[in-house]
Amino acid sequence: MNKPITSISSPSHPIGLTLGCHQQELTGEHDPSKAFVYLGDSAMLDKDIVIVISAQGMDTPRCSVERWLKSDGAEETTDAYALTLVPKFELPALPSQEYIFLVDRSGSMARSRIKAVRAALQILLRSLPSRGTSFNIVSFGSRYTSLWPTSQAYSAESMEQASKHVDEFEANYGGTELRSAIEFAFNSRQDIKGGSAEKTDTMPTSVFVLTDGEAWDLDGIIASINQNCGKAKKDGSLLRTFTLGVGNQVSTAMCEGIARAGKGTAVFVAEGEKPDAKLMGLLKAARGGVIDDLAVDWVDSEDAQDDDDEFEVIPSPKAGDYSEPSATSPPPQSQPPLSLFDESHVDTPAETGARKAIVLLDPPPKIQQAPKSDKLPIPLYPGFRCSIFAIVKRGSNPGPHSANVKITGKVMGRDVVLQIPVSPVSVHSGLVEGKVEGGKLLHTLAAKALIQTFEDLPQTPENKAEIERLGKRYSLATSVTSFVAIDEETKDEIQRKESQVFEPEEERFVKGGMDKVGRRPRPGPSASAMVRGFNPASIATGYNPSAVTAGFNLSVMTTRLSRDSHAYGQAGAAPAPLPISLPSADATPHPRRRSASTSSSGGLFSTRSVSPTASFSGAPPPPQAPVAPPPAAPGGMAQRPQHVARMRYTDTRSDDPYARAVSTIQYTSSYSNTGYLDSPSAPPYTPPASISQQTLSVESIARAQNFDGSFPSDDGHLWLIVGADGLSRARDIPPALDRLAGGGIGAQAATKKLIWATMLTIICLQKKFGAEKDSWEMLAEKAREYIEKELTELGLDESLVTQTVNRLETTASALF
């Protein structure tokens, strides 16, 4: 892949960067697909280095291959494949599911962290599906508590109770003890507590862990998750775990390990970052089905014919392989008598302590893949990057690599297929020379992924031997392999360097002079010496071909320092605001202030939009005749114009198919010359302090949503989303909705008000919080489902529901 880089930033460390090449100084022609990143002077290596790279086409599925020949130092000729993709497909939603949320309330979650989690949970509670849902909330720290003993059905009452419970969250649970809490969540599942002999259906369960720390018993937690998820699968059920890591000190190993064991996924939010968007992403992933029988075809059938090597598999010796001497065996030779006191005997110390088990491993299989897909499906969720690695053994006369790789599987009985072309990896040899084994980057990344699959398994002698073999072959630090650093400097060299560091300042001034920025060299070890021996491949957790082919060099950013403080954060700088001018008083009138009879098509349902730039440029509009204000009503309120037509809709000859279709629905309604339902004058609305002092935000909107997805139609909510100026218009139900069966009578009138208020809220989120779409997308989806359901119950078929929703969107958009 060779696509232009659009931005590079780091939320964890100050960085400098050079775009256009893979060196600190720009040399040669500018290449937009390359960049050089280095740490700043003030950077401390006290936490994970996070680099955020944006490039065109970065989410496009792609597969790279790298060949390592035996003649180049490999033990055998192999191809390393790295497949990465961000799935984009609509997984069918599970018809029912149980959600259990484990929230870390230890002391480290105090202040801003617990406040952000409270806000995110309020949005999440309103985003749960209205039907077929049960849920529970478990708080953990040094102890754990739960909102209910078992999960409760999702309803207006249970949602309100959970919302009040979340508002009371404080970080007062002491330390971080996760294992007991997660085992309680597993044992309280409805499949276990509510099971019966006649029960035939099982309810899937998704467990969400929100934490900012590290559990001390990680091995025990992983083992418990593996055991419970495996048992659920045998019982025909589905149990998954998802994790959200909060803050810069969270254990990435713990969060990713929990997600891998539970076949879920993990996301992280940095210090000060709002967690609601990523938490909604986890919820969206959990709502979908699971891809079953996922398989990757790495080698084409014609390519497999060149593997002419034959291996003799030598089985490991087993206990039963030992045979007792037969009766015909020759008797042992006679031995001289043993003296009980032999003066020539010398005592030898006996070996004590644990001994390394000797395991004879079979040769590696033809295809080694990570993550494995032989037991449980590979986690593949829309919107979450998935990286799959493989090392494929080739014969002594290998042909070309595979032209394509193919992913196949099933999701809820439906076939899934994706074919991806393969391209050779393009890595500058100077970037990896001496930093990864043999200069083979993909082999090293694939080996690390393979090692991780064995690290997650029980630590049997066989699994440890597999880890050791991979660690030695690809020079990686693992749980059973490590590096030994040897300082080859002589004593004289060390003393000479020490004398140079501590020599008098005047003498050093003569010898060393000034550096290039006019400063004396500072004593002490350099930053590059502090990180000597750093191997970026040994900590790689995923593969990013765009970063490799773009010339991004992860290793050099720990050894090169920048003195240009002005370059830090350069890529993430916000653009300066553009100046704009406000429209004049005689600008074009609001597009809604028009007569219904002026439309040339579409009747009363047509809309004409005015260009938003019309009042900012061009010649001013011609002067218009002054319009007399409407007569004042008693109390000083202005009345609407009385051009009102009252009619009973019976026209079946309209050219508009929508109008002909709804003509069978009898209604009686009145319209003003604005195209809106005429309503009597109402006194001005004065919001209470609880409304007027509230800040409009995604959280405040989420708190107003009902469990079925609707939003209230009272003046308080409408005032909050449209403001005082738009309140009078927001009260009016548009004709596209009011004309439906029942008119403005009874319960249907109240339902129509809820539909209209819900649509206004959806448009408010789109117009005012477009940059936070990931946070409210599921709120809006749930609200839209409510609108479509209610319109169907009012008598519209599917096509008319779609048309009505579109008309309501157009009308609501005019209010913002």
Side-chain angles (χ1 to χ4, degrees), residues 661-672:
V662 299
S663 65
T664 58
I665 304 174
Q666 299 297 319
Y667 68 94
T668 301
S669 188
S670 58
Y671 304 94
S672 68

Side-chain angles (χ1 to χ4, degrees), residues 143-222:
R143 55 190 175 92
Y144 71 87
T145 58
S146 63
L147 178 57
W148 301 295
T150 59
S151 296
Q152 300 295 306
Y154 186 63
S155 63
E157 293 76 15
S158 60
M159 187 194 73
E160 185 63 27
Q161 186 178 355
S163 179
K164 293 179 180 178
H165 177 66
V166 170
D167 280 336
E168 297 172 355
F169 275 5
E170 297 294 341
N172 54 2
Y173 272 46
T176 303
E177 168 54 52
L178 176 59
R179 182 174 180 178
S180 57
I182 202 168
E183 288 182 345
F184 167 80
F186 291 154
N187 295 329
S188 67
R189 291 185 297 131
Q190 291 188 348
D191 270 358
I192 297 178
K193 293 291 185 180
S196 60
E198 64 275 6
K199 185 177 178 180
T200 58
D201 296 333
T202 57
M203 177 174 284
T205 303
S206 291
V207 178
F208 297 80
V209 179
L210 287 70
T211 182
D212 73 332
E214 179 176 7
W216 63 271
D217 187 18
L218 180 56
D219 292 340
I221 294 172
I222 299 300

Side-chain angles (χ1 to χ4, degrees), residues 126 128-131 287 704-713 737 740 747-762 777-794 796 801 804-805 808:
R126 273 78 177 176
L128 293 175
S130 303
R131 288 164 288 186
R287 287 182 59 180
Q705 189 174 31
N706 301 313
F707 91 100
D708 60 357
S710 64
F711 285 89
S713 59
L737 179 61
L740 301 181
Q748 289 184 339
T751 299
K752 293 176 183 179
K753 289 183 179 180
L754 287 177
I755 292 174
W756 177 233
T758 302
M759 178 57 72
L760 286 172
T761 308
I762 294 175
E777 185 176 13
M778 298 187 69
L779 292 175
E781 178 184 335
K782 186 175 178 181
R784 185 177 292 273
E785 290 176 355
Y786 165 81
I787 293 175
E788 294 174 351
K789 178 178 72 71
E790 294 298 330
L791 289 176
T792 302
E793 293 180 358
L794 287 175
L796 299 184
V801 166
T804 303
V805 169
L808 292 177

Side-chain angles (χ1 to χ4, degrees), residues 440-762:
K440 300 301 180 182
L441 181 61
L442 288 198
H443 279 79
T444 305
L445 294 174
K448 182 164 181 62
L450 287 168
I451 289 172
Q452 187 63 65
T453 62
F454 288 107
E455 296 276 13
D456 292 338
L457 297 175
Q459 293 301 289
T460 61
E462 291 77 12
N463 289 336
K464 289 183 177 180
E466 291 283 3
I467 296 172
E468 180 181 349
R469 178 165 63 181
L470 288 166
K472 288 181 177 179
R473 176 172 295 189
Y474 297 99
S475 298
L476 290 170
T478 67
S479 60
V480 297
T481 59
S482 59
F483 291 97
V484 177
I486 300 176
D487 190 350
E488 298 180 349
E489 292 181 323
T490 64
K491 183 177 180 181
D492 294 338
E493 291 175 340
I494 295 175
Q495 291 178 349
R496 184 170 62 254
K497 289 184 178 180
E498 290 178 350
S499 64
Q500 292 176 355
V501 172
F502 297 104
E503 66 185 45
E505 183 174 340
E506 294 78 5
E507 183 179 355
R508 180 158 50 87
F509 222 95
V510 175
K511 290 184 178 181
M514 304 285 283
D515 64 10
K516 62 180 181 179
V517 293
R519 295 175 297 190
R520 296 185 179 91
R522 287 178 288 183
S526 64
S528 59
M530 295 167 60
V531 295
R532 182 178 301 166
F534 173 75
N535 184 357
S538 66
I539 63 168
T541 58
Y543 169 67
N544 188 346
S546 66
V548 175
T549 59
F552 173 66
N553 186 355
L554 179 62
S555 63
V556 297
M557 67 184 189
T558 61
T559 59
R560 297 295 300 270
L561 300 180
S562 167
R563 300 186 185 274
D564 303 326
S565 58
H566 65 276
Y568 300 164
Q570 178 178 343
L578 298 176
I580 61 172
S581 59
L582 295 176
S584 59
D586 58 349
T588 305
H590 194 282
R592 284 175 31 79
R593 298 174 183 172
R594 62 184 184 279
S595 172
S597 62
T598 60
S599 175
S600 60
S601 63
L604 293 171
F605 303 103
S606 66
T607 58
R608 290 191 303 172
S609 61
V610 177
S611 172
T613 60
S615 59
F616 295 92
S617 61
Q624 301 177 359
V627 180
M637 293 292 293
Q639 293 182 342
R640 290 188 172 200
Q642 296 302 312
H643 304 287
V644 176
R646 301 184 182 275
M647 64 189 74
R648 186 177 183 84
Y649 188 85
T650 57
D651 184 11
T652 60
R653 299 169 298 173
S654 172
D655 293 333
D656 187 353
Y658 175 82
R660 291 200 307 271
V662 299
S663 65
T664 58
I665 304 174
Q666 299 297 319
Y667 68 94
T668 301
S669 188
S670 58
Y671 304 94
S672 68
N673 67 337
T674 62
Y676 277 78
L677 175 68
D678 190 34
S679 60
S681 301
Y685 173 73
T686 303
S690 59
I691 299 295
S692 61
Q693 297 177 4
Q694 191 174 148
T695 301
L696 182 64
S697 63
V698 175
E699 180 189 355
S700 64
I701 293 176
R703 287 177 177 272
Q705 189 174 31
N706 301 313
F707 91 100
D708 60 357
S710 64
F711 285 89
S713 59
D714 60 89
D715 284 351
H717 179 68
L718 297 179
W719 182 92
L720 184 65
I721 62 175
V722 302
D725 295 339
L727 179 60
S728 61
R729 299 195 303 274
R731 288 169 174 164
D732 294 341
I733 301 177
L737 179 61
D738 183 67
R739 68 182 340 182
L740 301 181
I745 304 174
Q748 289 184 339
T751 299
K752 293 176 183 179
K753 289 183 179 180
L754 287 177
I755 292 174
W756 177 233
T758 302
M759 178 57 72
L760 286 172
T761 308
I762 294 175

Side-chain angles (χ1 to χ4, degrees), residues 8-10 13-17 37-40 49-51 557 562 564-565 567-571:
I8 299 177
S9 61
S10 173
H13 292 77
I15 63 171
L17 61 93
V37 180
Y38 49 93
L39 289 178
I49 301 173
V50 181
I51 305 292
M557 67 184 189
S562 167
D564 303 326
S565 58
Y568 300 164
Q570 178 178 343

Side-chain angles (χ1 to χ4, degrees), residues 270-525:
E271 200 70 46
E273 182 182 357
K274 296 175 64 175
D276 45 5
K278 292 185 177 179
L279 187 57
M280 293 306 106
L282 289 180
L283 178 60
K284 188 175 182 180
R287 287 182 59 180
V290 177
I291 295 187
D292 300 311
D293 304 323
L294 189 67
V296 182
D297 296 330
W298 297 102
V299 182
D300 296 334
S301 57
E302 58 270 17
D303 294 335
Q305 298 177 2
D306 63 12
D307 298 320
D308 54 359
D309 288 353
E310 296 181 359
F311 297 93
E312 179 183 358
V313 178
I314 302 176
S316 301
K318 299 179 181 178
D321 294 342
Y322 177 75
S323 58
E324 295 290 341
S326 63
T328 59
S329 301
Q333 297 181 358
S334 59
Q335 300 288 337
L338 180 65
S339 173
L340 296 179
F341 185 77
D342 187 357
E343 295 182 354
S344 62
H345 175 72
V346 178
D347 290 332
T348 56
E351 295 183 2
T352 60
R355 295 185 181 183
K356 178 181 177 181
I358 300 177
V359 179
L360 298 178
L361 293 175
D362 296 337
K366 175 180 173 58
I367 298 177
Q368 302 177 80
Q369 177 180 303
K372 291 185 175 181
S373 59
D374 52 351
K375 294 183 179 180
L376 288 177
I378 294 174
L380 197 62
Y381 298 104
F384 290 88
R385 183 173 298 279
C386 176
S387 297
I388 307 175
F389 299 88
I391 297 178
V392 179
K393 191 185 305 181
R394 304 306 300 262
S396 57
N397 299 313
H401 60 75
S402 301
N404 298 279
V405 297
K406 187 177 181 181
I407 303 177
T408 58
K410 285 185 178 294
V411 53
M412 301 183 72
R414 185 176 177 182
D415 290 337
V416 177
V417 62
L418 177 65
Q419 187 163 303
I420 304 171
V422 177
S423 59
V425 69
S426 174
V427 184
H428 193 278
S429 59
L431 300 180
V432 295
E433 191 70 29
K435 300 179 177 66
V436 295
E437 180 66 17
K440 300 301 180 182
L441 181 61
L442 288 198
H443 279 79
T444 305
L445 294 174
K448 182 164 181 62
L450 287 168
I451 289 172
Q452 187 63 65
T453 62
F454 288 107
E455 296 276 13
D456 292 338
L457 297 175
Q459 293 301 289
T460 61
E462 291 77 12
N463 289 336
K464 289 183 177 180
E466 291 283 3
I467 296 172
E468 180 181 349
R469 178 165 63 181
L470 288 166
K472 288 181 177 179
R473 176 172 295 189
Y474 297 99
S475 298
L476 290 170
T478 67
S479 60
V480 297
T481 59
S482 59
F483 291 97
V484 177
I486 300 176
D487 190 350
E488 298 180 349
E489 292 181 323
T490 64
K491 183 177 180 181
D492 294 338
E493 291 175 340
I494 295 175
Q495 291 178 349
R496 184 170 62 254
K497 289 184 178 180
E498 290 178 350
S499 64
Q500 292 176 355
V501 172
F502 297 104
E503 66 185 45
E505 183 174 340
E506 294 78 5
E507 183 179 355
R508 180 158 50 87
F509 222 95
V510 175
K511 290 184 178 181
M514 304 285 283
D515 64 10
K516 62 180 181 179
V517 293
R519 295 175 297 190
R520 296 185 179 91
R522 287 178 288 183

